[in-house]
Amino acid sequence: MTNTHVDYQLSQLDQLEAESIHIFREVAAEFEKPVLMFSGGKDSIVMLRLAEKAFYPAKIPFQLLQIDTGLDFPEVLETRDNWVNRLGVRIVVASIDDAIANGVVIDDGKTSRNRMQTATLLDAIEENGFTALFGGGRRDEEKARAKERVYSHRDEFGQWDPKMQRPELWSLYNGRIHAGEHMRIFPISNWTELDVWDYIGREQIEIPNIYFSHQRRVFVRDGMLMSETPLNPTREGETVEERTVRFRTCGDITLTGCVESTASTIPEIIDEVSIAKLTERGATRGDDRFSEAAMEDRKKEGYF
Amino acid sequence: MSDSTQSAEPRATNMDLLRFATAGSVDDGKSTLIGRLLLDSKSIFEDQLEAVEASSVSKGYDYTDLALLTDGLRSEREQGITIDVAYRYFATPNRKFIIADTPGHVQYTRNMVTGASTADLGLVLVDARQGLTEQSRRHAVILSLLRVPHLVLAVNKMDLVDWSQEVYDKIHREFTQFATKLNIPDLAVIPISALAGDNVVNRSENMSWYSGPTLMHHLEHVHVASDRDLVDVRFPVQFVVRPKSDEHHDYRGYGGMVAGGVLKPGDEVVVLPSGMTSKIAGIDLFDQEITEAFPPMSVTVRLEDDVDVSRGDMIARVKNAPAPSQDIDAMVCWMTNSPLKPRQKLAIKHTTRTARALVKDIQYRLDVNSLHRDQDTKELGLNEIGRVQLRTTVPLLCDPYSKNRTTGSFILIDEATGITVGAGMINSSS
Ligand SMILES: Nc1nc2c(ncn2[C@@H]2O[C@H](COP(=O)(O)OP(=O)(O)O)[C@@H](O)[C@H]2O)c(=O)[nH]1
């Protein structure tokens, strides 16, 4: 047996973990069909770890859902498969290309992949009858998220109404929904980017290796370093060169930039994050840079 | 490329956590203060600061309006006020802080109640020029009703009263006098200037007469671990863990978050409401067996006997257990437009137990400004707080809120809309 804490004090990381486990169990107990939104990024991996702990030694009592944009980093998909195999969970993959082929989503050449992702997600929710979706959103990421509840209600159209949010008190979560509605659940709402890294370090869990420093052929676009890939052809005037980089988030390969970095271990990443000058979104997410209210707009439409 | 499962030396393994709620009337300087705390603790990123600098310039301000750092949703940005609880994060080397930033106006009492429900400490701001107002008294009343154990009164804008000790002393005196009517176990009154930064993180050179701690120093050192009840064992069963796998064929554990006391293997326990007794066979935290569990740990408890236990039950000690009760006397904060009235039926969620509740009586409405008990009103409107008697369909396993903030609290849910309409703090049950 391990001896716990003689002074009955829990470290902040242990408190965050306990709160997240509590949320996972609460949802599993009260919702008919929860599902965990798995992007393969570090936040969703931390969620998966917490879910593993919440139900151990039983298996995680719900499936994973991934939206396949067709633009994912291969390294991310590899890590995803390792996790899924180790935990023995089922994963539902909803692909944007299938949704386009089936006419669920219209690709008019003007709509961004991001918008189509939302439509594909909402369709997958409807088709599978999911009633609760775990997401890896954190309140420190962005101003609009700072006011979002742990249980965030979505109407039949998947929309979020920031003015109609339910009060959320103590650790008493209200999971009531009507038919056709669903709840987005954010079990790591109170974690910061540093907490996530501390936890990955402490738990020694596998994350995609693109988070660590490596050599990559990149080019500069809109002030960001983008990966060379056939999915994202270079435009006139853009030159590709090899640099030592790492990614701070794992999103759409055509929109997610990397940063020059030699951080190749978790302690080095933690050092780097502690003195970072830009938020992870501001630095490397093209999709969030369009306007200050960009995130809020996309959330209202049903994006995470 | 490097191995992706490197081990790391955690930064400060024993870094602890302080959750605090802020309250202040519009223009007292709450947003400026929070912006200052974030900025001086280096929790602001350059892109966030640049965005705020740019908006300040476009609004024609002479200085960077730190308040812009913390306002969130667009509708609020347009109106220029905070209208919902927003959560912020910052850390110093030994402590992480979660701020529940709540609006101060009376029409947002429910938001303040929400923010205070999870807070270890309440921070009330007053403008030194105005002194204590009805609003600041109300903020203190709400924090005390919610049993927030530590309170800081920050006397802001000291620069505008010539850093006057007299002004500070007067506010201090008045507040201490008022606080005797409330339940405030720990009070600190700190003179600051949020705008200039005096006594926020750095000690003021303008107020040598003040010998107490700076606000940040106080936040970093206030002792919160002992605020939890470590005596009375309360373990609401949340989830029954049954692997039904070959490897763990006979495993049956009860997942939950410890709400009170210290649980140890070998302890004799009682399961409520059935009253069956057993012993704790083991306590699991993931794949580890642990020797003790205490609040707020999420663990899985195994019992020696094969007693029938399900979600909504509570594990307590044989000689120290709450008495199951269907008659609840509580202070309720009402959170929706249509008023709470006697004979109304609602859903009630208390720990992991959900039932239905009938409003038997509304004894009085508490005037949160004057503490006057209005016994003539027979209903509670939006943002009003009153003493209510409820009868529940099944017994609740509860304690007075003054003893345990987890087993003493509940929420009320409108059964038709599914919306959370009330928050309750139990006085007693019978
Ligand atoms: N002189 C002075 N002005 C302050 C101080 N703190 C805040 N202010 C100003 O008071 C006004 C209201 O502040 P703000 O933070 O927006 O108040 P809130 O409504 O409580 O969030 C702004 O113009 C601030 O610059 C202070 O300590 N001294």
Side-chain angles (χ1 to χ4, degrees):
Chain A
M1 287 198 217
T2 347
N3 199 7
T4 37
H5 318 244
V6 254
D7 53 354
Y8 301 122
Q9 232 179 328
L10 272 194
S11 73
Q12 73 103 4
L13 210 50
D14 284 330
Q15 287 193 49
L16 291 177
E17 180 188 66
E19 178 181 85
S20 303
I21 288 176
H22 175 81
I23 294 163
F24 272 110
R25 288 171 167 171
E26 202 59 16
V27 172
E30 289 200 321
F31 284 87
E32 236 165 84
K33 200 163 180 195
V35 69
L36 188 148
M37 296 276 301
F38 192 74
S39 71
K42 64 181 191 320
D43 299 321
S44 65
I45 286 174
V46 163
M47 276 207 296
L48 202 49
R49 174 62 164 184
L50 292 162
E52 178 186 10
K53 288 195 170 191
F55 305 104
Y56 186 88
K59 277 189 186 163
I60 296 174
F62 39 78
Q63 304 173 351
L64 312 187
L65 170 66
Q66 192 193 12
I67 305 302
D68 174 8
T69 58
L71 302 171
D72 292 307
F73 288 91
E75 295 89 340
V76 173
L77 298 179
E78 192 185 310
T79 305
R80 174 197 73 186
D81 293 342
N82 292 341
W83 272 93
V84 167
N85 292 334
R86 188 172 69 72
L87 296 179
V89 282
R90 272 202 53 207
I91 181 160
V92 179
V93 178
S95 115
I96 294 189
D97 290 325
D98 289 351
I100 294 170
N102 297 335
V104 172
V105 172
I106 314 241
D107 184 5
D108 56 7
K110 280 181 279 181
T111 312
S112 79
R113 218 58 195 174
N114 223 316
R115 285 254 149 86
M116 296 194 276
Q117 193 174 337
T118 305
T120 309
L121 169 66
L122 294 178
D123 182 60
I125 295 171
E126 225 172 278
E127 191 179 321
N128 292 279
F130 295 129
T131 53
L133 283 85
F134 293 105
R138 306 188 320 264
R139 289 179 180 143
D140 78 323
E141 272 178 84
E142 211 272 342
K143 273 203 231 169
R145 279 206 206 276
K147 301 190 179 190
E148 186 156 14
R149 310 295 190 249
V150 171
Y151 276 37
S152 186
H153 181 263
R154 299 299 146 103
D155 69 9
E156 303 92 313
F157 302 96
Q159 299 178 106
W160 179 54
D161 183 351
K163 285 217 170 113
M164 284 292 290
Q165 295 202 85
R166 298 173 181 180
E168 199 159 73
L169 299 106
W170 297 289
S171 46
L172 291 170
Y173 300 102
N174 173 2
R176 301 246 168 167
I177 48 168
H178 292 111
E181 302 174 344
H182 70 272
M183 203 68 93
R184 298 284 169 96
I185 314 279
F186 300 106
I188 60 166
S189 283
N190 284 326
W191 298 52
T192 62
E193 187 185 8
L194 266 177
D195 296 329
V196 166
W197 281 114
D198 275 340
Y199 194 70
I200 290 168
R202 182 180 98 172
E203 301 287 310
Q204 304 198 20
I205 49 181
E206 184 193 345
I207 54 169
N209 53 19
I210 61 170
Y211 281 113
F212 299 95
S213 170
H214 58 280
Q215 299 295 315
R216 180 174 289 265
R217 291 178 55 77
V218 293
F219 59 92
V220 178
R221 177 175 296 167
D222 299 335
M224 291 193 296
L225 281 181
M226 310 301 293
S227 193
E228 179 190 45
T229 156
L231 297 169
N232 196 17
T234 49
R235 298 173 193 153
E236 225 186 276
E238 293 173 339
T239 48
V240 177
E241 55 185 328
E242 189 163 287
R243 295 214 204 165
T244 308
V245 298
R246 66 175 206 88
F247 287 84
R248 282 178 73 185
T249 65
C250 294
D252 176 332
I253 200 166
T254 64
L255 287 170
T256 308
C258 48
V259 291
E260 298 215 72
S261 167
T262 54
S264 58
T265 64
I266 290 183
E268 283 168 11
I269 291 178
I270 289 173
D271 281 348
E272 194 184 278
V273 172
S274 326
I275 55 162
K277 291 204 175 83
L278 297 180
T279 57
E280 53 189 350
R281 289 195 167 271
T284 59
R285 289 291 281 260
D287 39 350
D288 281 333
R289 304 210 311 177
F290 301 126
S291 84
E292 211 192 332
M295 180 75 146
E296 194 181 327
D297 286 340
R298 285 191 292 131
K299 282 173 69 70
K300 281 188 185 159
E301 286 172 18
Y303 174 82
F304 252 85
Chain B
M1 247 178 250
S2 68
D3 180 0
S4 49
T5 55
Q6 306 263 351
S7 72
E9 199 60 53
R11 278 178 303 157
T13 11
N14 45 12
M15 185 187 225
D16 75 354
L17 181 63
L18 181 85
R19 296 178 197 247
F20 71 96
T22 57
S25 311
V26 179
D27 284 344
D28 282 347
K30 186 161 59 73
S31 312
T32 308
L33 177 62
I34 293 172
R36 165 74 51 201
L37 285 170
L38 299 182
L39 190 68
D40 287 1
S41 66
K42 307 200 168 38
S43 311
I44 298 292
F45 291 103
E46 224 167 57
D47 51 341
Q48 292 172 319
L49 193 59
E50 274 167 15
V52 163
E53 280 166 355
S55 339
S56 298
V57 170
S58 74
K59 289 191 166 132
Y61 298 160
D62 296 336
Y63 55 89
T64 301
D65 188 359
L66 293 178
L68 293 174
L69 278 170
T70 59
D71 76 336
L73 303 174
R74 185 187 319 201
S75 52
E76 298 170 354
R77 273 203 295 282
E78 279 158 7
Q79 292 169 47
I81 46 161
T82 318
I83 52 168
D84 202 341
V85 189
Y87 294 87
R88 327 262 168 219
Y89 304 83
F90 71 97
T92 58
N94 295 312
R95 200 166 241 187
K96 170 173 163 175
F97 300 89
I98 302 180
I99 312 177
D101 181 11
T102 70
H105 205 266
V106 65
Q107 78 207 66
Y108 304 117
T109 296
R110 64 176 196 145
N111 303 92
M112 212 195 135
V113 167
T114 302
S117 72
T118 51
D120 304 303
L121 180 145
L123 175 63
V124 176
L125 236 79
V126 296
D127 183 329
R129 293 172 302 179
Q130 285 163 18
L132 285 191
T133 59
E134 189 176 273
Q135 302 233 33
S136 24
R137 290 196 182 86
R138 186 180 66 251
H139 298 152
V141 168
I142 292 170
L143 291 166
S144 115
L145 262 176
L146 270 291
R147 297 270 166 178
V148 177
H150 307 272
L151 193 139
V152 175
L153 182 72
V155 182
N156 189 32
K157 307 198 185 181
M158 287 300 292
D159 54 313
L160 298 181
V161 294
D162 276 333
W163 314 103
S164 154
Q165 182 175 8
E166 243 167 87
V167 170
Y168 166 84
D169 282 344
K170 180 164 176 284
I171 294 173
H172 192 169
R173 213 166 35 241
E174 274 179 37
F175 191 81
T176 319
Q177 204 171 20
F178 174 69
T180 54
K181 291 192 251 176
L182 306 175
N183 218 300
I184 299 173
D186 172 43
L187 169 70
V189 184
I190 306 177
I192 63 166
S193 169
L195 195 64
D198 290 63
N199 284 342
V200 179
V201 173
N202 302 314
R203 178 156 280 287
S204 171
E205 285 170 11
N206 298 304
M207 294 180 278
S208 50
W209 47 264
Y210 173 76
S211 57
T214 62
L215 177 61
M216 184 70 105
H217 185 274
H218 185 73
L219 293 175
E220 278 190 292
H221 292 91
V222 64
H223 190 69
V224 289
S226 54
D227 295 337
R228 298 209 155 89
D229 177 1
L230 294 171
V231 176
D232 310 292
V233 169
R234 300 289 186 265
F235 186 75
V237 175
Q238 197 186 5
F239 192 88
V240 180
V241 182
R242 292 228 52 189
K244 295 181 192 145
S245 63
D246 294 339
E247 197 186 336
H248 303 280
H249 195 269
D250 295 322
Y251 189 98
R252 188 182 172 91
Y254 307 106
M257 187 180 251
V258 183
V262 180
L263 288 85
K264 297 190 179 87
D267 282 353
E268 288 212 41
V269 292
V270 59
V271 180
L272 298 171
S274 73
M276 300 225 267
T277 58
S278 183
K279 268 189 183 167
I280 296 181
I283 305 172
D284 299 328
L285 188 68
F286 186 41
D287 57 359
Q288 308 261 307
E289 269 198 66
I290 56 172
T291 54
E292 292 178 306
F294 53 91
M297 290 171 81
S298 276
V299 296
T300 305
V301 173
R302 285 174 286 113
L303 298 182
E304 282 186 359
D305 307 278
D306 209 359
V307 288
D308 184 26
V309 183
S310 50
R311 175 175 165 85
D313 291 355
M314 177 164 324
I315 295 173
R317 296 302 299 271
V318 178
K319 292 210 177 79
N320 177 350
S325 169
Q326 287 176 259
D327 290 295
I328 310 293
D329 174 281
M331 296 305 290
V332 168
C333 173
W334 194 244
M335 303 183 147
T336 197
N337 285 319
S338 62
L340 176 73
K341 291 179 181 159
R343 303 202 26 233
Q344 203 163 324
K345 292 193 184 83
L346 298 148
I348 182 168
K349 187 169 180 185
H350 170 258
T351 66
T352 55
R353 190 164 263 251
T354 302
R356 300 182 73 208
L358 168 74
V359 181
K360 288 209 321 202
D361 188 26
I362 299 174
Q363 255 178 298
Y364 59 80
R365 189 179 59 82
L366 183 74
D367 183 326
V368 282
N369 295 322
S370 64
L371 291 177
H372 172 72
R373 295 172 178 187
D374 178 0
Q375 304 191 335
D376 297 332
T377 7
K378 278 295 170 201
E379 52 178 58
L380 288 183
L382 174 64
N383 289 309
E384 293 185 337
I385 297 175
R387 186 161 178 180
V388 175
Q389 265 73 45
L390 301 171
R391 170 85 184 169
T392 56
T393 46
V394 298
L396 300 188
L397 310 161
C398 53
D399 292 296
Y401 187 74
S402 56
K403 248 184 83 184
N404 189 314
R405 288 170 83 188
T406 305
T407 56
S409 55
F410 60 82
I411 55 170
L412 296 169
I413 299 166
D414 183 295
E415 295 188 294
T417 61
I419 290 170
T420 306
V421 289
M425 291 147 282
I426 296 167
N427 296 321
S428 65
S429 52
S430 53

